[in-house]
Amino acid sequence: MPTMRDVADHAGVSIATVSFVVNNTKPVTAATRSRIEASMKALGYRPNAVARALASRRTRILALAYPMLDHRLGGSGMEFMIAAARTASTYGYHLMMWPGANDGRELTELVGQQLVDGVILMEVQLDDPRVAALKATATPYALIGRTADPSDSLHVDIDFEQSTSGAVQHLHDLGHRHIVFVTGTQDRESYYNYGPYVRTERAFRDVTARLGVAPVIIESGQDTTAGRDLAHRLFTECPDTTAVLVLNEFAAIGLLTGVIHRGVRVPEDVSIMSMLTSDEMATYTQPSLTIMRSPGTALGELAVHQLVQRMTKGTVPDPVLLPSTLVPAESTAPPPAIPYGRR
Amino acid sequence: MPTMRDVADHAGVSIATVSFVVNNTKPVTAATRSRIEASMKALGYRPNAVARALASRRTRILALAYPMLDHRLGGSGMEFMIAAARTASTYGYHLMMWPGANDGRELTELVGQQLVDGVILMEVQLDDPRVAALKATATPYALIGRTADPSDSLHVDIDFEQSTSGAVQHLHDLGHRHIVFVTGTQDRESYYNYGPYVRTERAFRDVTARLGVAPVIIESGQDTTAGRDLAHRLFTECPDTTAVLVLNEFAAIGLLTGVIHRGVRVPEDVSIMSMLTSDEMATYTQPSLTIMRSPGTALGELAVHQLVQRMTKGTVPDPVLLPSTLVPAESTAPPPAIPYGRR
DNA sequence: GTGAAAGCGCTAACAG
DNA sequence: CTGTTAGCGCTTTCAC
């Protein structure tokens, strides 16, 4: 691997001059510049990222910290990651995955290594020790989600109020008056005070109050199996239900398939709407789910934009809440049944 | 941020000695060691990863290169990423996501920066320019998947022969004699010669020949919509079908829901088996899919193990093919139908 | 416009 | 066992 030294010798200039053209950081005669460029090409020179980082005190690496909770990332979590990595690379940054515990200690370690210029925190909790840790180290960061403290700046998040009221309003417009809201079970340490649960539930109470319908709220686990169980619970506990709003996409899929499997028709008998969901998940069922689509990709891009702006311009962009989009289930003309009965 | 210099001064030793205890690289008296450790704690010292990397010529960063194809990562792709990141961190390595084009050029750039000690290549194609690029730069790498060239060492992959024959054998044991194999459409540049397609199809031909049944193979797109269309195509093109083997999990879900939606019973009328699938995907339908479970997590761990062994010990581990596991659909006692007809 | 030189913080001989 | 010292490859003043 040729170094800058080699290039300088080859071009008959000083190492400093090479640096100037590589970084375009000082004026250089067109003649010498092209001579240097020729040498770089001839030698196949590539600047050494590590040396550059040490000297310039910037690594051009961003960390994406996602807590290793017991649950898997949903579809939009994945969208988020991919979008963030792609966006980072357009800025000339690399994205490092950082699967850490949910406490601040490990994060402090990571940041102390000075390997990353900034950190993106996914799945921020209302009371998140990682945010405090990050603040203490003065590392630039961006939050996906919000803490309870409104002064924790630079976050992007889903607009839960908009999502929830949009969903409820839609169902209400369709004539539904008995709407059940299914939120996540909060008995676990990590989910207690989980922002999306708290904010969505609050929004649900608000909008139902506004519309003058009773807020029925039940808890459920966050996977398809739990959702399947709901299919039973729902009709015993809340027999009047005509529409269900499910906070978790996995649970929503379980509920929908479970309900259909029991001979209940969707949406004729009951409407099901899945919140915080990606397009992809909606297609897994038939009929497809009606969803409030999470802006996963947009969040990923935005988070990186914001963070980079903070690091380079030094300004702290305003928090942004992105709306969810209502995506109705594709209307399924009932297909011709296939007479089928061999074996 | 205190440096090693500060620690040395504080402890009244030389910078070298501090380095020795930090890296545990030379014997140091218990007395001085503890004095140094005390100083480190007192000052809150953390070694600077960049300086360390420059001096030692190892960054302790691994790159995970995944091609940004048009398709999304399946469930096991995600499992893989998470497992790889976690395993890397147990070795003291960081994992950097690298969303690159599918050609070798960008990869050469990345490696030229000398920011990573090794590269893991996901979704390796039978004829993959990235592998050639990597070989040329002499960077340690591990492949997920295989090229056509058996001398491309250090790969881990799914044992497609085992997966396929296991699946077919299972169906055959159940009495099926008309088994359709659904592979991916190969008209796209990026999928042409895609290893999993090629190997699985070959294995299917082999095992059906061995069992004396006719190999029926049809192509389909790789998403739920395409799978849904299959529900129709299948019964017109191959009316004798009693079992279907679907290579893609999204297509499998589409097929299953589509078929059920048309009044065909699964598995009474037709059996559906999804290949290369994660547990998670199997739960999205009801009845759940019978799957050959991909060893996504195991692959992720193994790939990192292998790569690290190559980098540290210098030995090149033997390729490993991991088997898939047959996970039958959970037997669904038909639930009591719920009389339901309000609204 | 170009060059000399002093670091960036740490590792790794080599001496002692 | 501990200290001295020469880099690692590049950025960045400060002179010229």
Side-chain angles (χ1 to χ4, degrees):
Chain A
M1 278 278 119
T3 71
M4 198 172 257
R5 172 84 268 148
D6 298 324
V7 176
D9 291 349
H10 183 107
V13 297
S14 86
I15 176 182
T17 310
V18 178
S19 177
F20 296 154
V21 353
V22 167
N23 301 300
N24 208 354
T25 181
K26 272 200 174 177
V28 170
T29 328
T32 49
R33 149 165 278 122
S34 62
R35 196 146 37 86
I36 290 175
E37 280 166 349
S39 297
M40 296 201 296
K41 210 157 306 160
L43 299 178
Y45 169 75
R46 312 207 176 288
N48 179 308
V50 178
R52 188 192 281 226
L54 182 59
S56 67
R57 311 162 139 293
R58 313 182 1 182
T59 62
R60 302 196 76 89
I61 300 176
L62 268 26
L64 180 64
Y66 56 95
M68 296 207 297
L69 300 178
D70 48 352
H71 74 151
R72 56 197 163 289
L73 263 47
S76 47
M78 188 71 202
E79 284 176 16
F80 180 90
M81 274 198 180
I82 304 287
R86 184 167 31 73
T87 308
S89 87
T90 69
Y91 278 113
Y93 279 84
H94 291 292
L95 226 220
M96 189 175 284
M97 297 178 60
W98 199 73
N102 209 10
D103 65 55
R105 242 189 35 72
E106 290 188 37
L107 234 200
T108 307
E109 293 283 328
L110 172 72
V111 164
Q113 316 240 340
Q114 301 181 69
L115 221 207
V116 301
D117 291 343
V119 177
I120 297 175
L121 241 47
M122 289 180 75
E123 305 251 17
V124 170
Q125 316 284 308
L126 281 184
D127 174 16
D128 201 315
R130 300 176 303 166
V131 177
L134 232 33
K135 277 178 169 172
T137 64
T139 312
Y141 62 86
L143 310 180
I144 314 308
R146 291 163 274 172
T147 65
D149 179 356
S151 79
D152 280 334
S153 50
L154 194 44
H155 56 257
V156 300
D157 202 356
I158 294 170
D159 186 340
F160 296 107
E161 284 66 31
Q162 176 270 348
S163 296
T164 309
S165 66
V168 173
Q169 189 67 58
H170 175 75
L171 293 172
H172 192 264
D173 289 349
L174 256 35
H176 293 278
R177 294 298 179 269
H178 295 276
I179 304 174
V180 170
F181 178 76
V182 180
T183 185
T185 314
Q186 301 203 25
D187 53 1
R188 295 242 197 61
E189 168 75 15
S190 50
Y191 282 117
Y192 188 71
N193 253 354
Y194 185 48
Y197 292 175
V198 174
R199 292 185 219 277
T200 318
E201 181 173 329
R202 188 164 53 216
F204 180 72
R205 290 186 189 283
D206 288 349
V207 63
T208 48
R210 182 149 37 82
L211 294 173
V213 310
V216 183
I217 300 179
I218 65 182
E219 289 193 356
S220 160
Q222 304 295 286
D223 53 34
T224 45
T225 307
R228 216 96 75 193
D229 295 342
L230 261 184
H232 177 71
R233 278 177 55 201
L234 199 60
F235 297 116
T236 49
E237 295 180 18
C238 319
D240 291 337
T241 308
T242 66
V244 190
L245 218 55
V246 187
L247 193 44
N248 179 278
E249 54 192 352
F250 302 109
I253 285 181
L255 175 62
L256 179 64
T257 58
V259 145
I260 287 178
H261 199 226
R262 283 179 157 79
V264 176
R265 294 165 305 163
V266 179
E268 291 82 356
D269 296 329
V270 64
S271 284
I272 296 181
M273 167 107 86
S274 181
M275 309 275 298
L276 308 187
T277 301
S278 64
D279 280 337
E280 187 188 322
M281 297 296 287
T283 67
Y284 292 166
T285 58
Q286 186 153 10
S288 62
L289 279 170
T290 295
I291 66 171
M292 292 300 290
R293 178 208 289 146
S294 284
T297 299
L299 278 174
E301 293 170 352
L302 189 58
V304 173
H305 285 314
Q306 304 270 66
L307 180 54
V308 169
Q309 175 179 342
R310 176 179 193 159
M311 294 187 315
T312 56
K313 297 202 187 29
T315 63
V316 178
D318 288 331
V320 176
L321 300 187
L322 294 178
S324 299
T325 312
L326 174 69
V327 183
E330 47 184 66
S331 60
T332 42
I338 299 176
Y340 205 83
R342 43 185 90 86
R343 287 185 59 189
Chain B
M1 279 275 120
T3 73
M4 197 172 260
R5 174 83 267 151
D6 298 325
V7 176
D9 291 349
H10 182 107
V13 297
S14 86
I15 176 180
T17 309
V18 178
S19 176
F20 298 152
V21 351
V22 166
N23 300 301
N24 208 354
T25 181
K26 273 200 173 174
V28 170
T29 327
T32 48
R33 148 165 278 121
S34 61
R35 195 145 41 84
I36 291 174
E37 280 165 349
S39 297
M40 295 201 297
K41 211 156 307 162
L43 300 177
Y45 170 75
R46 311 207 177 287
N48 179 307
V50 178
R52 189 193 277 226
L54 182 59
S56 66
R57 311 165 136 293
R58 313 182 11 200
T59 61
R60 302 197 76 89
I61 301 175
L62 268 25
L64 180 64
Y66 56 95
M68 296 207 295
L69 300 179
D70 48 353
H71 73 151
R72 54 197 164 287
L73 262 47
S76 48
M78 189 70 202
E79 283 177 18
F80 180 90
M81 275 198 180
I82 304 287
R86 185 167 30 73
T87 307
S89 85
T90 70
Y91 279 111
Y93 279 84
H94 291 292
L95 226 221
M96 190 176 283
M97 297 177 61
W98 200 72
N102 208 9
D103 64 53
R105 241 190 35 73
E106 290 187 37
L107 235 200
T108 306
E109 293 282 329
L110 172 72
V111 165
Q113 317 240 336
Q114 300 181 72
L115 221 207
V116 301
D117 291 343
V119 177
I120 296 175
L121 241 47
M122 289 181 75
E123 304 250 16
V124 170
Q125 316 283 307
L126 282 184
D127 174 18
D128 201 314
R130 300 175 303 164
V131 176
L134 232 32
K135 277 178 168 171
T137 64
T139 311
Y141 62 85
L143 310 180
I144 315 307
R146 291 164 274 172
T147 64
D149 179 357
S151 78
D152 280 334
S153 51
L154 194 45
H155 55 257
V156 300
D157 202 356
I158 294 170
D159 186 340
F160 296 108
E161 284 67 31
Q162 177 271 346
S163 296
T164 309
S165 65
V168 174
Q169 188 68 58
H170 175 74
L171 293 172
H172 192 263
D173 290 349
L174 256 34
H176 293 279
R177 295 299 179 267
H178 295 277
I179 305 174
V180 170
F181 178 75
V182 179
T183 186
T185 315
Q186 301 203 25
D187 54 0
R188 294 240 198 61
E189 167 76 16
S190 50
Y191 282 116
Y192 188 70
N193 254 355
Y194 185 48
Y197 293 175
V198 174
R199 293 186 219 277
T200 317
E201 179 172 332
R202 189 164 53 215
F204 180 73
R205 290 186 189 282
D206 289 350
V207 63
T208 48
R210 182 148 37 81
L211 294 173
V213 309
V216 183
I217 300 178
I218 65 182
E219 289 192 357
S220 160
Q222 303 295 286
D223 54 32
T224 45
T225 306
R228 215 96 77 194
D229 294 341
L230 260 184
H232 178 71
R233 278 176 55 200
L234 199 61
F235 297 116
T236 48
E237 295 181 17
C238 320
D240 292 335
T241 309
T242 67
V244 190
L245 218 57
V246 187
L247 194 43
N248 179 279
E249 53 192 353
F250 301 110
I253 286 182
L255 175 62
L256 179 64
T257 57
V259 146
I260 287 178
H261 200 225
R262 284 180 157 77
V264 177
R265 293 166 306 163
V266 179
E268 292 82 356
D269 297 330
V270 64
S271 285
I272 296 180
M273 168 106 87
S274 181
M275 310 275 299
L276 308 187
T277 301
S278 65
D279 280 338
E280 188 188 319
M281 297 296 289
T283 68
Y284 291 167
T285 58
Q286 187 153 8
S288 62
L289 279 171
T290 295
I291 66 170
M292 292 300 290
R293 179 209 289 146
S294 283
T297 299
L299 279 175
E301 293 169 352
L302 189 59
V304 174
H305 285 313
Q306 306 270 67
L307 179 55
V308 170
Q309 175 180 341
R310 175 178 194 161
M311 294 187 313
T312 56
K313 298 203 186 26
T315 63
V316 178
D318 288 332
V320 176
L321 300 187
L322 295 178
S324 299
T325 313
L326 174 69
V327 183
E330 47 184 65
S331 61
T332 43
I338 299 175
Y340 203 84
R342 40 186 93 85
R343 287 185 62 186

